[in-house]
């Protein structure tokens, strides 16, 4: 197959501007290197985006079906939700082949190709066959489950073989890396490389006067002045544990009624995977649950829960992160969870408490968060009380430790480690203030 001109090619299902954590990490990379992005969609950017347009039938079989009804729930341990259809698998394989061919056409001779996530697990082996000259990195963004769960995937061996053709396989935590390593020969390079956030950029944005103005406007619009704030931010996905979290909020206000009228919860839950029945049902469930909670616990002046059912731009999110007394991050399972790290990066005031599931990949690094079990609403309620009652000195000590960790393992460190392993050296990053201006999502 003939080669292209790009020394670095990034391959992922969603392109720039897409929702979720993968696109958020790759956009800054492409802005500063001579690279090209291969994806099924994507907004216009100053760098080239090569699209692999997918038909409705392809999206059904490969994306909604095999990837999101099969691999996604299985890898999050939600076996009852997972289903693998042979027809979907065939479409998955065919679409992976299309991505592999597109990448093969644009990568320069001896170039590097970095492939992302569970939608594209077969691409490394397919690309290797087409272009033996390129170096291939692969990153798996979701949990890698324990072997007995993984074996429930009928195509388990084919998926592992597809990934293992890469020169480097990255996963977020030592546990996921160990679980994957156990399935492949020792020559395959498998590493735990926890993804980070743009700490300097988010901190610079959080420190701007405009952020303080946004904070005042948001607080007024939500009726928050004089209230303490508990904040949740998620794609509205069943792995994020939003219904369980709302049950915990209810338990909290019932067990400690003195917080009624003094504390409000803001839950930002942006629509995702719209049209898939499990997701459409979840959005309705969350809306009903919030309405019931507000009806039963609220009074004329005070609303316990504000639900924001849409995507916010980063400056708005950062203003909310800064307004919050507590960030409540309680996914059932999560590969990493970047929201927890963005909250920490935004707290340039050194204050705020992070409550975090033990089962988020981020919990391995964020040791000074208050750890909770997402399936234990009474335990979460008690932890919320602990967070709100915590002395300022302890809040600040914990936040300082969290900030040091999130700064050290930021997104640039993650990019540099992944790319160095496939022979790509990154130019030095620009510093905070300039980056704040370029955080446009
Ligand atoms: P996600 O499941 O999408 O990512 P997460 O890591 O939290 O989860 O990243 C979400 C990103 O989307 C964050 O940058 C956040 O700011 C943004 N976001 C979420 N809700 C938003 C909203 N309502 N409005 C605007 N922005 C919103 C997957 C895995 C994670 C893993 C990442 C990266 O499931 O476990 O951390 O990839 O590997």
């Amino acid at each position: 197959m003939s080669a292209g001109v790009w020394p670095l090619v990034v391959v992922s299902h969603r392109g720039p501007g897409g929702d979720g954590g993968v696109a958020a990490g790759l956009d800054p990379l492409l802005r500063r290197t001579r690279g090209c992005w291969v994806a099924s969609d994507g907004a216009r950017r100053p760098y080239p985006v090569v699209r692999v347009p997918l038909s409705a039938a392809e999206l059904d079989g490969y994306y909604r079906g095999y990837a999101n009804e099969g691999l996604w729930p299985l890898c999050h341990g939600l076996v009852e939700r997972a289903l693998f259809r042979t027809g979907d698998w065939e479409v998955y394989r065919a679409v992976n082949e299309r991505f592999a061919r597109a990448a093969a056409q644009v990568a320069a001779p001896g170039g590097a190709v970095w492939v992302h996530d569970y939608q594209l697990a077969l691409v490394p082996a397919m690309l290797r066959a087409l272009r033996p000259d390129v170096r291939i990195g692969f990153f798996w963004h979701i949990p890698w489950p324990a072997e007995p769960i993984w074996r429930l995937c009928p195509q388990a061996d084919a998926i592992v073989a597809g990934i293992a053709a890469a020169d480097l396989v990255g996963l977020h935590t030592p546990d996921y890396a160990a679980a994957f390593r156990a399935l492949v020969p020792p020559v395959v390079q498998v590493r735990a490389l926890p993804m980070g956030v743009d700490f300097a950029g988010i901190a610079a944005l959080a420190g701007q006067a405009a952020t303080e103005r946004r904070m005042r406007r948001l607080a007024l619009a939500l009726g928050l002045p004089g209230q303490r704030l508990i904040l949740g931010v998620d794609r509205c996905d069943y792995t994020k544990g939003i219904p369980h979290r709302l049950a915990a909020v209810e338990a909290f206000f019932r067990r400690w009624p003195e917080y009624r009228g003094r504390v409000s919860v803001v839950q930002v839950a942006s629509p995702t995977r719209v049209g898939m029945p499990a997701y459409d049902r979840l959005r309705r469930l969350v809306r009903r649950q919030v309405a019931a909670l507000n009806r039963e616990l609220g009074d004329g002046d005070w609303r316990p829960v504000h639900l924001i059912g849409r995507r916010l731009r980063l400056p708005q999110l950062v203003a909310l992160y800064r307004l919050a007394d507590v960030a409540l991050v309680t996914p059932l399972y999560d590969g990493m969870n970047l929201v927890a790290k963005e909250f920490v990066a935004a707290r340039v005031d050194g204050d705020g408490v992070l409550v975090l599931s033990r089962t988020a990949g981020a919990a391995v690094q964020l040791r000074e968060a208050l750890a909770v079990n997402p399936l234990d609403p009474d335990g979460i309620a008690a932890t919320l009380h602990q967070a709100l009652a915590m002395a300022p000195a302890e809040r600040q000590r914990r936040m300082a430790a969290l900030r040091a960790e999130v700064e050290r393992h930021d997104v640039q460190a993650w990019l540099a480690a992944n790319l160095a392993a496939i022979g790509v050296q990154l130019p030095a990053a620009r510093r905070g203030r300039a980056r704040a201006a370029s955080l446009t999502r």
Side-chain angles (χ1 to χ4, degrees), residues 8 29 32-33 411-417 419-420 423-429:
L8 173 64
L29 166 68
R32 34 193 271 260
T33 47
V411 74
Q412 337 297 338
W414 177 75
L415 293 170
L419 293 172
V424 179
Q425 298 305 323
L426 282 181

Side-chain angles (χ1 to χ4, degrees), residues 298-320:
D299 60 35
D301 299 326
W302 171 70
R303 216 192 316 168
V305 182
H306 299 261
L307 180 65
I308 302 179
R310 63 193 155 84
R311 230 175 139 204
L312 299 182
R313 294 174 58 80
L314 190 65
Q316 297 280 325
L317 270 189
V318 164
L320 275 176

Side-chain angles (χ1 to χ4, degrees), residues 77-159:
L78 304 171
V79 293
E80 198 189 289
R81 288 179 183 262
L83 188 66
F84 295 90
R85 300 179 196 86
T86 308
D88 290 348
W89 164 247
E90 281 157 10
V91 182
Y92 181 87
R93 226 177 21 202
V95 170
N96 271 245
E97 184 78 42
R98 293 190 57 202
F99 274 89
R101 287 188 174 278
Q105 271 164 14
V106 292
V113 180
W114 193 21
V115 183
H116 289 266
D117 226 1
Y118 63 99
Q119 301 94 348
L120 301 175
L122 305 179
V123 170
M126 292 170 165
L127 181 60
R128 177 72 75 216
L130 293 166
R131 288 288 306 275
D133 60 303
V134 298
R135 278 151 302 146
I136 304 173
F138 181 83
F139 199 90
W140 182 265
H141 289 263
I142 65 178
W144 194 279
E147 164 134 31
I149 292 184
W150 177 242
R151 287 284 154 213
L152 288 170
C153 172
Q155 293 80 23
D157 291 337
I159 300 262

Side-chain angles (χ1 to χ4, degrees), residues 19-22 24 72 76 117 139 141-143 172 195 233-235 237 239-240 268-270 273 308 310-314 317 321 334-340 342 414 441:
D19 67 348
V22 180
W72 173 266
H76 288 86
D117 226 1
F139 199 90
H141 289 263
I142 65 178
H172 285 303
M195 185 170 169
V233 176
D234 309 83
R235 284 186 304 107
D237 191 298
T239 59
K240 304 294 182 182
V268 189
S270 53
R273 302 179 192 172
I308 302 179
R310 63 193 155 84
R311 230 175 139 204
L312 299 182
R313 294 174 58 80
L314 190 65
L317 270 189
Y321 290 145
D334 216 330
M336 170 54 63
N337 193 290
L338 298 178
V339 166
E342 290 169 0
W414 177 75
R441 42 178 259 269

Side-chain angles (χ1 to χ4, degrees), residues 138-302:
F138 181 83
F139 199 90
W140 182 265
H141 289 263
I142 65 178
W144 194 279
E147 164 134 31
I149 292 184
W150 177 242
R151 287 284 154 213
L152 288 170
C153 172
Q155 293 80 23
D157 291 337
I159 300 262
V160 170
I163 296 171
D167 295 293
L168 169 73
V169 180
L171 303 98
H172 285 303
T173 73
D175 281 356
Y176 309 155
F180 184 79
R181 209 176 277 122
L183 304 174
V184 295
V187 291
V188 181
Q189 200 193 158
V190 181
R191 286 176 61 191
L193 296 167
M195 185 170 169
V197 297
D198 183 1
F199 182 91
I202 292 174
L205 178 58
Q208 288 173 355
T211 296
E212 316 246 335
R213 286 196 295 277
R214 274 184 213 108
M215 288 165 68
R216 282 193 294 276
R217 274 204 304 272
L218 270 167
L220 276 174
L222 293 168
L224 296 176
Q227 301 267 321
R228 300 186 75 194
L229 171 61
I230 297 171
L231 175 67
V233 176
D234 309 83
R235 284 186 304 107
C236 197
D237 191 298
Y238 53 76
T239 59
K240 304 294 182 182
I242 299 170
H244 299 75
R245 187 180 314 166
L246 291 169
V249 164
E250 176 166 4
F252 165 75
F253 283 122
R254 291 199 188 279
R255 168 79 179 73
W256 286 279
E258 61 271 29
Y259 286 120
R260 295 185 194 180
R262 300 207 175 112
V263 173
S264 293
V265 175
V266 171
Q267 173 66 53
V268 189
S270 53
T272 182
R273 302 179 192 172
V274 174
M276 287 181 62
Y279 288 81
D280 297 347
R281 270 198 307 275
L282 176 69
R283 284 195 303 281
R284 285 197 298 272
L285 170 67
V286 168
R287 273 201 302 272
R288 275 202 309 275
Q289 218 182 341
V290 168
L293 220 152
N294 285 341
R295 206 166 44 237
E296 283 163 32
L297 296 180
D299 60 35
D301 299 326
W302 171 70

